[in-house]
Structure formats: C-alpha cells, structure tokens
Amino acid sequence: MMSMMYQAYQNHMDLTAPWRSGAAAALKYLNLVPQGVSDRVFGRLAAALELISRSTLTYTRPDYAIGSVVVGNRELQVTEEVAYATPFGSLLHFRKVDGPEQPRLLLVAPMSGHFATLLRGTVKTLLQDHDVYITDWHNPRDIPRDAGRFGLEDYTDHLIDFLDKLGPRAHMVAICQPSVSALAAAAVMSEDNHPARPASLTLMAGPIDTRIQPTKVNEFAKAKPIEWFEHNLINYVPMQCRGALRKVYPGFVQLTAFVSMNLERHIKQHIDLARHIAKGETDKAEVIRTFYDEYFAVMDLPAEFYIETVRDVFQEHLLPQGRLMHRGRPVNPAAIKRMGLMTVEGEKDDICSIGQTLAAQDLCTGVRTYRKVHHMQAGVGHYGVFSGKRWNNEIYPLLRDFVHMNS
C-alpha cells in the first residue's frame, strides 16, 4: 500500500542508523591519525566512511549561520528572533544589532521539499540594505494532527498575517512556487484596503501562468489526473514522529524526483567528494559537503497544500484565468494599486520558463506602468535567479533600487 511507504522508509532508516553512526565515529577517530601515516590507505578509508555516514536524509532545519553582515563600512552582528509563529511556520526576523533604519522586507520561501535555509545566501545579500524577515516553514512531520490542515489558502493567509505583523509599507519578495500566493495576498489586501498591504511586490521565477512555454515539470503535473497524485504520492507520517498519521507529500520522494533529473551530476559529485577526501583536499571536499548538507535536509509538504498547488496552479491555471478563489471570494490582481511590481526570470530556467512570471504584469492592470519593472537575467537557470554571482552582481542591485524607490 503506497500510503505506508513512508513508514517503511522510516523503519529502514532507523534500522541502519547504527551503521551510519559507527561510520561517523570511526571517521572522527581516523581524523586524529597524524598526516603522512599511510595517507593513501587512510584517505581511501576516510572517503568510504564519509559516504556511509552521509547515506541518509535529515529532517531538521539546518542553521542559517548568518552571524554578521557588512552594512556600508560597518560589520554588524545579526541575531535571529521569532517575531510571530503558528504551528506551521514562523515569521523569523534577522535583526541587525545597532543597525540603521532600512526598508522592512518579507522574503517568502517556497514549500518545495527543502527548508527556508535554502535561501540563506539570498537573505545574506538582502541584509545589506534591508530589514529582513523570512517565512520559516515548519516540517509537517513534526506538527501534530490536531493543529489542523494546511492548504493553499492557509499559505496565503499566513502571508497576510505576517505582513500585518510587519506593519505598513513593508515589501514582499516571493521566490518560485509561492509567487501565486504572494500575488493573491497582495490582491486580497489591496481590495480590503488593508493598512499593511505591501509597498512593493517582487516575484522571482514563479509559476504565475504555466501555460506559457511549459517545462518538463509542468508537463508532468498535467500528465496525470489529480487522483493519481493523491493515490500515489500522498503518504502518512510515520508513527515515530510528532505528526504521526498526518497526510503529507514526503520530502524524500520530492528529493528523489529532483535527483533523478540530474542523476549523473549527483553521482559525479559524490565520486569527486570521495576523491578529494582521499587526496586530503579538504577545501574542495568541504564545498561539496556543505552543498549536500543543505540538499539532503528535506521537509515534507502538507498533503492539502501539495494537491491544491498541483491542481489549481499547474493543472487548472486558475489565477491567470481569473478563477482563483480565496475564502469564497475571487482573487482579483487588477485590484492591486499604489504598489510597485517587479518580476524576474532566468534565461535558462528549466523549472519556470520565460514568460510564466512575466504574466503577472498583464494581470495587474491597476499598477501604473512606471511602477512596473521586469528583468530577464541572461545565462542563469532557476537557482541562479536568487543565488550565486549573477544574483549578487546583476539582479540584486536592480531589486534593491526598486524596493528603495517604492519605500
């Protein structure tokens, strides 16, 4: 029975945990051996132990590890403070100690199988010129069933509540998947004349209209009826967890799909990792190790949120057709006024292709032309839109100037 696959997977992980723990302990002992003592033998053994100890996924959020940031010519200490929380997510504030007053910005992280820490580099860049908050989503496998459901409307409600906590004239930047909810929240708040509606909205590589140049991801979502996703991909959280018997789309299933898309690359990376360790190339090994520490930290998705996203966003395209509802009322992007709108896309994005995010510009007819900005970044794929050198050097300066212009 498919719904018990997660339980079987967890049982296997628990049974094999002593092997991984033993390998990790042996690796620590091996690192105490003086350099030069049978380097070749010990190097190969260290590589083998490393791969054994890392043959698992983690389900706890990694640290953001942003201890300080340079603002102007000063290095300021950064502390993490939970400004508001629900069972499903925290509004996490990266407070700069003795920092200058800067535009408040809500960074909206996706629920796509990884924790919000995947945006660590994005946060660190934004902190230079903004007072940054992030949607720090909690892992559903740790949320008791009596906390209730979490669907697409609940995600949108969280954004409205988070913006309400930030107060008037804050800015919202949504990365990838939550662009739909971010646009919906801005529309609902604008129609209600909510005092905390955002001063600007930036959508980055988001699936506003996936009918435009569909990618393989989009085609997969439409290849099966929604019942297929419900019957084949939704599992119960294992009994060992706090969220036992909550229905989820398991993170390890999502990760398997991601890895299979670039399987050869991931295999090569681990072969390179073993080679670097065997040769004592610690710096090169650490780069790969750090990446996979984050990549293999997985988060489940609430079943309701996953199914409703597949159905409403990728199969039925409700938002661009004017049929998306929120709590019984139509979501009307044309209601967005007196707000800046920026859309960003990557030339080589194979998850959210060119034109899918730009579609928001046509939907938001109430936004004045001079307050609309669109940028297509040459030479980057999906992740390059919000991380890496092109993000830091070419995209971020445009976003920074856009936010400050709308402050």
PDB file of all heavy atoms in Angstrom, residues 200-234:
ATOM      1  N   SER A 200       5.621  47.171  -2.138  1.00  0.00           N
ATOM      2  CA  SER A 200       6.066  46.619  -3.417  1.00  0.00           C
ATOM      3  C   SER A 200       6.005  45.098  -3.353  1.00  0.00           C
ATOM      4  O   SER A 200       6.089  44.498  -2.278  1.00  0.00           O
ATOM      5  CB  SER A 200       7.490  47.077  -3.767  1.00  0.00           C
ATOM      6  OG  SER A 200       8.457  46.382  -2.999  1.00  0.00           O
ATOM      7  N   LEU A 201       5.855  44.504  -4.530  1.00  0.00           N
ATOM      8  CA  LEU A 201       5.786  43.047  -4.657  1.00  0.00           C
ATOM      9  C   LEU A 201       6.772  42.616  -5.733  1.00  0.00           C
ATOM     10  O   LEU A 201       6.707  43.097  -6.866  1.00  0.00           O
ATOM     11  CB  LEU A 201       4.372  42.617  -5.043  1.00  0.00           C
ATOM     12  CG  LEU A 201       4.157  41.130  -5.379  1.00  0.00           C
ATOM     13  CD1 LEU A 201       4.444  40.255  -4.168  1.00  0.00           C
ATOM     14  CD2 LEU A 201       2.730  40.906  -5.887  1.00  0.00           C
ATOM     15  N   THR A 202       7.681  41.721  -5.369  1.00  0.00           N
ATOM     16  CA  THR A 202       8.650  41.181  -6.325  1.00  0.00           C
ATOM     17  C   THR A 202       8.435  39.674  -6.440  1.00  0.00           C
ATOM     18  O   THR A 202       8.432  38.961  -5.432  1.00  0.00           O
ATOM     19  CB  THR A 202      10.098  41.458  -5.872  1.00  0.00           C
ATOM     20  OG1 THR A 202      10.295  42.879  -5.762  1.00  0.00           O
ATOM     21  CG2 THR A 202      11.088  40.904  -6.894  1.00  0.00           C
ATOM     22  N   LEU A 203       8.235  39.205  -7.665  1.00  0.00           N
ATOM     23  CA  LEU A 203       8.015  37.784  -7.945  1.00  0.00           C
ATOM     24  C   LEU A 203       9.198  37.275  -8.750  1.00  0.00           C
ATOM     25  O   LEU A 203       9.489  37.778  -9.830  1.00  0.00           O
ATOM     26  CB  LEU A 203       6.713  37.590  -8.730  1.00  0.00           C
ATOM     27  CG  LEU A 203       5.458  38.246  -8.132  1.00  0.00           C
ATOM     28  CD1 LEU A 203       4.264  38.041  -9.055  1.00  0.00           C
ATOM     29  CD2 LEU A 203       5.163  37.690  -6.738  1.00  0.00           C
ATOM     30  N   MET A 204       9.879  36.254  -8.220  1.00  0.00           N
ATOM     31  CA  MET A 204      11.095  35.755  -8.846  1.00  0.00           C
ATOM     32  C   MET A 204      10.926  34.296  -9.268  1.00  0.00           C
ATOM     33  O   MET A 204      10.712  33.418  -8.428  1.00  0.00           O
ATOM     34  CB  MET A 204      12.282  35.898  -7.884  1.00  0.00           C
ATOM     35  CG  MET A 204      12.462  37.319  -7.369  1.00  0.00           C
ATOM     36  SD  MET A 204      13.928  37.526  -6.337  1.00  0.00           S
ATOM     37  CE  MET A 204      15.221  37.350  -7.552  1.00  0.00           C
ATOM     38  N   ALA A 205      10.977  34.052 -10.570  1.00  0.00           N
ATOM     39  CA  ALA A 205      10.899  32.696 -11.118  1.00  0.00           C
ATOM     40  C   ALA A 205       9.697  31.944 -10.572  1.00  0.00           C
ATOM     41  O   ALA A 205       9.801  30.823 -10.085  1.00  0.00           O
ATOM     42  CB  ALA A 205      12.190  31.928 -10.836  1.00  0.00           C
ATOM     43  N   GLY A 206       8.527  32.575 -10.658  1.00  0.00           N
ATOM     44  CA  GLY A 206       7.312  31.994 -10.098  1.00  0.00           C
ATOM     45  C   GLY A 206       6.326  31.533 -11.157  1.00  0.00           C
ATOM     46  O   GLY A 206       6.226  32.139 -12.234  1.00  0.00           O
ATOM     47  N   PRO A 207       5.540  30.478 -10.876  1.00  0.00           N
ATOM     48  CA  PRO A 207       4.615  29.885 -11.852  1.00  0.00           C
ATOM     49  C   PRO A 207       3.266  30.597 -11.923  1.00  0.00           C
ATOM     50  O   PRO A 207       2.219  29.995 -11.652  1.00  0.00           O
ATOM     51  CB  PRO A 207       4.469  28.458 -11.332  1.00  0.00           C
ATOM     52  CG  PRO A 207       4.555  28.605  -9.840  1.00  0.00           C
ATOM     53  CD  PRO A 207       5.567  29.715  -9.603  1.00  0.00           C
ATOM     54  N   ILE A 208       3.266  31.848 -12.327  1.00  0.00           N
ATOM     55  CA  ILE A 208       2.010  32.591 -12.410  1.00  0.00           C
ATOM     56  C   ILE A 208       1.113  32.026 -13.506  1.00  0.00           C
ATOM     57  O   ILE A 208      -0.086  31.851 -13.318  1.00  0.00           O
ATOM     58  CB  ILE A 208       2.280  34.095 -12.658  1.00  0.00           C
ATOM     59  CG1 ILE A 208       3.097  34.685 -11.499  1.00  0.00           C
ATOM     60  CG2 ILE A 208       0.972  34.864 -12.842  1.00  0.00           C
ATOM     61  CD1 ILE A 208       2.424  34.608 -10.143  1.00  0.00           C
ATOM     62  N   ASP A 209       1.688  31.708 -14.661  1.00  0.00           N
ATOM     63  CA  ASP A 209       0.901  31.117 -15.760  1.00  0.00           C
ATOM     64  C   ASP A 209       1.756  30.053 -16.452  1.00  0.00           C
ATOM     65  O   ASP A 209       2.557  30.353 -17.344  1.00  0.00           O
ATOM     66  CB  ASP A 209       0.466  32.185 -16.760  1.00  0.00           C
ATOM     67  CG  ASP A 209      -0.535  31.648 -17.781  1.00  0.00           C
ATOM     68  OD1 ASP A 209      -0.728  30.420 -17.842  1.00  0.00           O
ATOM     69  OD2 ASP A 209      -1.140  32.465 -18.509  1.00  0.00           O
ATOM     70  N   THR A 210       1.562  28.794 -16.050  1.00  0.00           N
ATOM     71  CA  THR A 210       2.402  27.711 -16.574  1.00  0.00           C
ATOM     72  C   THR A 210       1.923  27.182 -17.923  1.00  0.00           C
ATOM     73  O   THR A 210       2.478  26.212 -18.444  1.00  0.00           O
ATOM     74  CB  THR A 210       2.474  26.538 -15.570  1.00  0.00           C
ATOM     75  OG1 THR A 210       1.153  26.035 -15.332  1.00  0.00           O
ATOM     76  CG2 THR A 210       3.075  26.999 -14.254  1.00  0.00           C
ATOM     77  N   ARG A 211       0.921  27.850 -18.511  1.00  0.00           N
ATOM     78  CA  ARG A 211       0.529  27.509 -19.886  1.00  0.00           C
ATOM     79  C   ARG A 211       1.555  28.043 -20.883  1.00  0.00           C
ATOM     80  O   ARG A 211       1.613  27.604 -22.026  1.00  0.00           O
ATOM     81  CB  ARG A 211      -0.845  28.099 -20.206  1.00  0.00           C
ATOM     82  CG  ARG A 211      -1.987  27.542 -19.373  1.00  0.00           C
ATOM     83  CD  ARG A 211      -3.279  28.297 -19.627  1.00  0.00           C
ATOM     84  NE  ARG A 211      -3.176  29.709 -19.282  1.00  0.00           N
ATOM     85  CZ  ARG A 211      -4.138  30.603 -19.455  1.00  0.00           C
ATOM     86  NH1 ARG A 211      -5.300  30.224 -19.977  1.00  0.00           N
ATOM     87  NH2 ARG A 211      -3.947  31.870 -19.106  1.00  0.00           N
ATOM     88  N   ILE A 212       2.370  28.993 -20.422  1.00  0.00           N
ATOM     89  CA  ILE A 212       3.353  29.639 -21.286  1.00  0.00           C
ATOM     90  C   ILE A 212       4.633  28.801 -21.302  1.00  0.00           C
ATOM     91  O   ILE A 212       5.250  28.559 -20.255  1.00  0.00           O
ATOM     92  CB  ILE A 212       3.669  31.068 -20.774  1.00  0.00           C
ATOM     93  CG1 ILE A 212       2.386  31.907 -20.764  1.00  0.00           C
ATOM     94  CG2 ILE A 212       4.738  31.730 -21.627  1.00  0.00           C
ATOM     95  CD1 ILE A 212       2.530  33.236 -20.035  1.00  0.00           C
ATOM     96  N   GLN A 213       5.036  28.359 -22.478  1.00  0.00           N
ATOM     97  CA  GLN A 213       6.251  27.547 -22.635  1.00  0.00           C
ATOM     98  C   GLN A 213       6.401  26.500 -21.523  1.00  0.00           C
ATOM     99  O   GLN A 213       7.348  26.572 -20.722  1.00  0.00           O
ATOM    100  CB  GLN A 213       7.499  28.445 -22.661  1.00  0.00           C
ATOM    101  CG  GLN A 213       7.514  29.464 -23.788  1.00  0.00           C
ATOM    102  CD  GLN A 213       8.872  30.124 -23.927  1.00  0.00           C
ATOM    103  OE1 GLN A 213       9.843  29.493 -24.315  1.00  0.00           O
ATOM    104  NE2 GLN A 213       8.942  31.403 -23.589  1.00  0.00           N
ATOM    105  N   PRO A 214       5.513  25.527 -21.457  1.00  0.00           N
ATOM    106  CA  PRO A 214       5.551  24.545 -20.367  1.00  0.00           C
ATOM    107  C   PRO A 214       6.887  23.806 -20.293  1.00  0.00           C
ATOM    108  O   PRO A 214       7.466  23.432 -21.311  1.00  0.00           O
ATOM    109  CB  PRO A 214       4.414  23.573 -20.727  1.00  0.00           C
ATOM    110  CG  PRO A 214       3.522  24.341 -21.643  1.00  0.00           C
ATOM    111  CD  PRO A 214       4.423  25.260 -22.416  1.00  0.00           C
ATOM    112  N   THR A 215       7.366  23.611 -19.078  1.00  0.00           N
ATOM    113  CA  THR A 215       8.601  22.852 -18.834  1.00  0.00           C
ATOM    114  C   THR A 215       8.241  21.386 -18.564  1.00  0.00           C
ATOM    115  O   THR A 215       7.064  21.023 -18.483  1.00  0.00           O
ATOM    116  CB  THR A 215       9.346  23.413 -17.617  1.00  0.00           C
ATOM    117  OG1 THR A 215       8.527  23.219 -16.447  1.00  0.00           O
ATOM    118  CG2 THR A 215       9.630  24.903 -17.784  1.00  0.00           C
ATOM    119  N   LYS A 216       9.273  20.554 -18.393  1.00  0.00           N
ATOM    120  CA  LYS A 216       9.028  19.146 -18.072  1.00  0.00           C
ATOM    121  C   LYS A 216       8.270  19.004 -16.756  1.00  0.00           C
ATOM    122  O   LYS A 216       7.437  18.103 -16.591  1.00  0.00           O
ATOM    123  CB  LYS A 216      10.356  18.386 -18.000  1.00  0.00           C
ATOM    124  CG  LYS A 216      11.020  18.167 -19.356  1.00  0.00           C
ATOM    125  CD  LYS A 216      12.298  17.348 -19.218  1.00  0.00           C
ATOM    126  CE  LYS A 216      12.933  17.104 -20.588  1.00  0.00           C
ATOM    127  NZ  LYS A 216      14.194  16.311 -20.481  1.00  0.00           N
ATOM    128  N   VAL A 217       8.569  19.896 -15.807  1.00  0.00           N
ATOM    129  CA  VAL A 217       7.868  19.882 -14.523  1.00  0.00           C
ATOM    130  C   VAL A 217       6.391  20.157 -14.742  1.00  0.00           C
ATOM    131  O   VAL A 217       5.516  19.481 -14.179  1.00  0.00           O
ATOM    132  CB  VAL A 217       8.480  20.920 -13.561  1.00  0.00           C
ATOM    133  CG1 VAL A 217       7.673  20.999 -12.268  1.00  0.00           C
ATOM    134  CG2 VAL A 217       9.934  20.581 -13.244  1.00  0.00           C
ATOM    135  N   ASN A 218       6.082  21.159 -15.571  1.00  0.00           N
ATOM    136  CA  ASN A 218       4.686  21.492 -15.865  1.00  0.00           C
ATOM    137  C   ASN A 218       3.985  20.351 -16.586  1.00  0.00           C
ATOM    138  O   ASN A 218       2.824  20.028 -16.291  1.00  0.00           O
ATOM    139  CB  ASN A 218       4.604  22.754 -16.729  1.00  0.00           C
ATOM    140  CG  ASN A 218       5.338  23.952 -16.157  1.00  0.00           C
ATOM    141  OD1 ASN A 218       5.852  24.788 -16.886  1.00  0.00           O
ATOM    142  ND2 ASN A 218       5.424  24.021 -14.831  1.00  0.00           N
ATOM    143  N   GLU A 219       4.677  19.740 -17.527  1.00  0.00           N
ATOM    144  CA  GLU A 219       4.087  18.644 -18.300  1.00  0.00           C
ATOM    145  C   GLU A 219       3.801  17.436 -17.414  1.00  0.00           C
ATOM    146  O   GLU A 219       2.766  16.770 -17.579  1.00  0.00           O
ATOM    147  CB  GLU A 219       5.011  18.266 -19.461  1.00  0.00           C
ATOM    148  CG  GLU A 219       5.082  19.344 -20.541  1.00  0.00           C
ATOM    149  CD  GLU A 219       6.179  19.088 -21.558  1.00  0.00           C
ATOM    150  OE1 GLU A 219       6.959  18.120 -21.364  1.00  0.00           O
ATOM    151  OE2 GLU A 219       6.260  19.844 -22.545  1.00  0.00           O
ATOM    152  N   PHE A 220       4.689  17.164 -16.468  1.00  0.00           N
ATOM    153  CA  PHE A 220       4.459  16.052 -15.546  1.00  0.00           C
ATOM    154  C   PHE A 220       3.209  16.299 -14.710  1.00  0.00           C
ATOM    155  O   PHE A 220       2.407  15.382 -14.477  1.00  0.00           O
ATOM    156  CB  PHE A 220       5.667  15.849 -14.630  1.00  0.00           C
ATOM    157  CG  PHE A 220       5.438  14.845 -13.535  1.00  0.00           C
ATOM    158  CD1 PHE A 220       5.416  13.487 -13.821  1.00  0.00           C
ATOM    159  CD2 PHE A 220       5.227  15.251 -12.225  1.00  0.00           C
ATOM    160  CE1 PHE A 220       5.191  12.554 -12.816  1.00  0.00           C
ATOM    161  CE2 PHE A 220       4.994  14.332 -11.224  1.00  0.00           C
ATOM    162  CZ  PHE A 220       4.976  12.977 -11.515  1.00  0.00           C
ATOM    163  N   ALA A 221       3.030  17.544 -14.262  1.00  0.00           N
ATOM    164  CA  ALA A 221       1.874  17.872 -13.429  1.00  0.00           C
ATOM    165  C   ALA A 221       0.554  17.680 -14.179  1.00  0.00           C
ATOM    166  O   ALA A 221      -0.479  17.404 -13.562  1.00  0.00           O
ATOM    167  CB  ALA A 221       1.983  19.315 -12.933  1.00  0.00           C
ATOM    168  N   LYS A 222       0.597  17.823 -15.506  1.00  0.00           N
ATOM    169  CA  LYS A 222      -0.637  17.698 -16.295  1.00  0.00           C
ATOM    170  C   LYS A 222      -0.804  16.316 -16.921  1.00  0.00           C
ATOM    171  O   LYS A 222      -1.841  16.011 -17.503  1.00  0.00           O
ATOM    172  CB  LYS A 222      -0.659  18.757 -17.402  1.00  0.00           C
ATOM    173  CG  LYS A 222      -0.671  20.187 -16.894  1.00  0.00           C
ATOM    174  CD  LYS A 222      -1.126  21.172 -17.938  1.00  0.00           C
ATOM    175  CE  LYS A 222      -2.627  21.076 -18.157  1.00  0.00           C
ATOM    176  NZ  LYS A 222      -3.152  22.185 -18.987  1.00  0.00           N
ATOM    177  N   ALA A 223       0.213  15.480 -16.793  1.00  0.00           N
ATOM    178  CA  ALA A 223       0.185  14.169 -17.459  1.00  0.00           C
ATOM    179  C   ALA A 223      -0.747  13.182 -16.765  1.00  0.00           C
ATOM    180  O   ALA A 223      -1.178  12.199 -17.379  1.00  0.00           O
ATOM    181  CB  ALA A 223       1.589  13.589 -17.527  1.00  0.00           C
ATOM    182  N   LYS A 224      -1.056  13.427 -15.495  1.00  0.00           N
ATOM    183  CA  LYS A 224      -1.899  12.515 -14.722  1.00  0.00           C
ATOM    184  C   LYS A 224      -3.074  13.278 -14.115  1.00  0.00           C
ATOM    185  O   LYS A 224      -2.957  14.467 -13.817  1.00  0.00           O
ATOM    186  CB  LYS A 224      -1.093  11.872 -13.577  1.00  0.00           C
ATOM    187  CG  LYS A 224       0.224  11.231 -13.991  1.00  0.00           C
ATOM    188  CD  LYS A 224       0.021   9.882 -14.633  1.00  0.00           C
ATOM    189  CE  LYS A 224       1.369   9.194 -14.877  1.00  0.00           C
ATOM    190  NZ  LYS A 224       1.202   7.881 -15.540  1.00  0.00           N
ATOM    191  N   PRO A 225      -4.203  12.605 -13.891  1.00  0.00           N
ATOM    192  CA  PRO A 225      -5.308  13.247 -13.179  1.00  0.00           C
ATOM    193  C   PRO A 225      -4.927  13.487 -11.723  1.00  0.00           C
ATOM    194  O   PRO A 225      -4.050  12.806 -11.184  1.00  0.00           O
ATOM    195  CB  PRO A 225      -6.453  12.240 -13.304  1.00  0.00           C
ATOM    196  CG  PRO A 225      -5.776  10.923 -13.519  1.00  0.00           C
ATOM    197  CD  PRO A 225      -4.527  11.229 -14.300  1.00  0.00           C
ATOM    198  N   ILE A 226      -5.581  14.433 -11.075  1.00  0.00           N
ATOM    199  CA  ILE A 226      -5.216  14.781  -9.699  1.00  0.00           C
ATOM    200  C   ILE A 226      -5.376  13.587  -8.769  1.00  0.00           C
ATOM    201  O   ILE A 226      -4.636  13.451  -7.775  1.00  0.00           O
ATOM    202  CB  ILE A 226      -6.046  15.989  -9.202  1.00  0.00           C
ATOM    203  CG1 ILE A 226      -5.392  16.618  -7.958  1.00  0.00           C
ATOM    204  CG2 ILE A 226      -7.488  15.604  -8.934  1.00  0.00           C
ATOM    205  CD1 ILE A 226      -4.041  17.230  -8.199  1.00  0.00           C
ATOM    206  N   GLU A 227      -6.294  12.675  -9.090  1.00  0.00           N
ATOM    207  CA  GLU A 227      -6.485  11.476  -8.266  1.00  0.00           C
ATOM    208  C   GLU A 227      -5.223  10.609  -8.249  1.00  0.00           C
ATOM    209  O   GLU A 227      -4.930   9.949  -7.241  1.00  0.00           O
ATOM    210  CB  GLU A 227      -7.676  10.658  -8.767  1.00  0.00           C
ATOM    211  CG  GLU A 227      -9.023  11.321  -8.583  1.00  0.00           C
ATOM    212  CD  GLU A 227      -9.293  12.394  -9.625  1.00  0.00           C
ATOM    213  OE1 GLU A 227      -8.571  12.423 -10.666  1.00  0.00           O
ATOM    214  OE2 GLU A 227     -10.221  13.199  -9.412  1.00  0.00           O
ATOM    215  N   TRP A 228      -4.481  10.610  -9.350  1.00  0.00           N
ATOM    216  CA  TRP A 228      -3.237   9.831  -9.406  1.00  0.00           C
ATOM    217  C   TRP A 228      -2.240  10.350  -8.373  1.00  0.00           C
ATOM    218  O   TRP A 228      -1.585   9.556  -7.676  1.00  0.00           O
ATOM    219  CB  TRP A 228      -2.629   9.902 -10.805  1.00  0.00           C
ATOM    220  CG  TRP A 228      -1.382   9.072 -10.950  1.00  0.00           C
ATOM    221  CD1 TRP A 228      -1.286   7.769 -11.341  1.00  0.00           C
ATOM    222  CD2 TRP A 228      -0.033   9.494 -10.671  1.00  0.00           C
ATOM    223  NE1 TRP A 228       0.011   7.343 -11.321  1.00  0.00           N
ATOM    224  CE2 TRP A 228       0.817   8.383 -10.916  1.00  0.00           C
ATOM    225  CE3 TRP A 228       0.536  10.694 -10.247  1.00  0.00           C
ATOM    226  CZ2 TRP A 228       2.194   8.449 -10.751  1.00  0.00           C
ATOM    227  CZ3 TRP A 228       1.917  10.755 -10.072  1.00  0.00           C
ATOM    228  CH2 TRP A 228       2.732   9.657 -10.320  1.00  0.00           C
ATOM    229  N   PHE A 229      -2.123  11.680  -8.261  1.00  0.00           N
ATOM    230  CA  PHE A 229      -1.206  12.272  -7.288  1.00  0.00           C
ATOM    231  C   PHE A 229      -1.656  11.931  -5.859  1.00  0.00           C
ATOM    232  O   PHE A 229      -0.822  11.634  -4.997  1.00  0.00           O
ATOM    233  CB  PHE A 229      -1.146  13.787  -7.474  1.00  0.00           C
ATOM    234  CG  PHE A 229      -0.457  14.210  -8.743  1.00  0.00           C
ATOM    235  CD1 PHE A 229      -1.173  14.368  -9.920  1.00  0.00           C
ATOM    236  CD2 PHE A 229       0.910  14.439  -8.776  1.00  0.00           C
ATOM    237  CE1 PHE A 229      -0.534  14.745 -11.103  1.00  0.00           C
ATOM    238  CE2 PHE A 229       1.559  14.820  -9.945  1.00  0.00           C
ATOM    239  CZ  PHE A 229       0.826  14.963 -11.108  1.00  0.00           C
ATOM    240  N   GLU A 230      -2.954  11.980  -5.627  1.00  0.00           N
ATOM    241  CA  GLU A 230      -3.480  11.669  -4.296  1.00  0.00           C
ATOM    242  C   GLU A 230      -3.198  10.223  -3.910  1.00  0.00           C
ATOM    243  O   GLU A 230      -2.793   9.928  -2.779  1.00  0.00           O
ATOM    244  CB  GLU A 230      -4.984  11.936  -4.249  1.00  0.00           C
ATOM    245  CG  GLU A 230      -5.347  13.410  -4.372  1.00  0.00           C
ATOM    246  CD  GLU A 230      -6.849  13.622  -4.499  1.00  0.00           C
ATOM    247  OE1 GLU A 230      -7.555  12.673  -4.906  1.00  0.00           O
ATOM    248  OE2 GLU A 230      -7.311  14.735  -4.207  1.00  0.00           O
ATOM    249  N   HIS A 231      -3.396   9.299  -4.848  1.00  0.00           N
ATOM    250  CA  HIS A 231      -3.277   7.879  -4.546  1.00  0.00           C
ATOM    251  C   HIS A 231      -1.827   7.391  -4.527  1.00  0.00           C
ATOM    252  O   HIS A 231      -1.496   6.443  -3.811  1.00  0.00           O
ATOM    253  CB  HIS A 231      -4.078   7.058  -5.561  1.00  0.00           C
ATOM    254  CG  HIS A 231      -5.548   7.305  -5.491  1.00  0.00           C
ATOM    255  ND1 HIS A 231      -6.404   7.126  -6.563  1.00  0.00           N
ATOM    256  CD2 HIS A 231      -6.327   7.750  -4.481  1.00  0.00           C
ATOM    257  CE1 HIS A 231      -7.636   7.428  -6.204  1.00  0.00           C
ATOM    258  NE2 HIS A 231      -7.613   7.816  -4.942  1.00  0.00           N
ATOM    259  N   ASN A 232      -0.957   8.029  -5.311  1.00  0.00           N
ATOM    260  CA  ASN A 232       0.402   7.510  -5.473  1.00  0.00           C
ATOM    261  C   ASN A 232       1.494   8.292  -4.745  1.00  0.00           C
ATOM    262  O   ASN A 232       2.574   7.744  -4.502  1.00  0.00           O
ATOM    263  CB  ASN A 232       0.759   7.449  -6.961  1.00  0.00           C
ATOM    264  CG  ASN A 232      -0.029   6.378  -7.686  1.00  0.00           C
ATOM    265  OD1 ASN A 232       0.291   5.201  -7.629  1.00  0.00           O
ATOM    266  ND2 ASN A 232      -1.098   6.789  -8.363  1.00  0.00           N
ATOM    267  N   LEU A 233       1.243   9.539  -4.398  1.00  0.00           N
ATOM    268  CA  LEU A 233       2.303  10.354  -3.804  1.00  0.00           C
ATOM    269  C   LEU A 233       2.033  10.793  -2.366  1.00  0.00           C
ATOM    270  O   LEU A 233       2.944  11.261  -1.683  1.00  0.00           O
ATOM    271  CB  LEU A 233       2.558  11.599  -4.673  1.00  0.00           C
ATOM    272  CG  LEU A 233       3.055  11.319  -6.104  1.00  0.00           C
ATOM    273  CD1 LEU A 233       3.320  12.632  -6.831  1.00  0.00           C
ATOM    274  CD2 LEU A 233       4.303  10.450  -6.098  1.00  0.00           C
ATOM    275  N   ILE A 234       0.799  10.674  -1.924  1.00  0.00           N
ATOM    276  CA  ILE A 234       0.476  11.091  -0.556  1.00  0.00           C
ATOM    277  C   ILE A 234       0.658   9.916   0.403  1.00  0.00           C
ATOM    278  O   ILE A 234       0.168   8.819   0.159  1.00  0.00           O
ATOM    279  CB  ILE A 234      -0.965  11.638  -0.478  1.00  0.00           C
ATOM    280  CG1 ILE A 234      -1.115  12.848  -1.422  1.00  0.00           C
ATOM    281  CG2 ILE A 234      -1.308  12.027   0.959  1.00  0.00           C
ATOM    282  CD1 ILE A 234      -0.122  13.974  -1.177  1.00  0.00           C
TER     283      ILE A 234
END
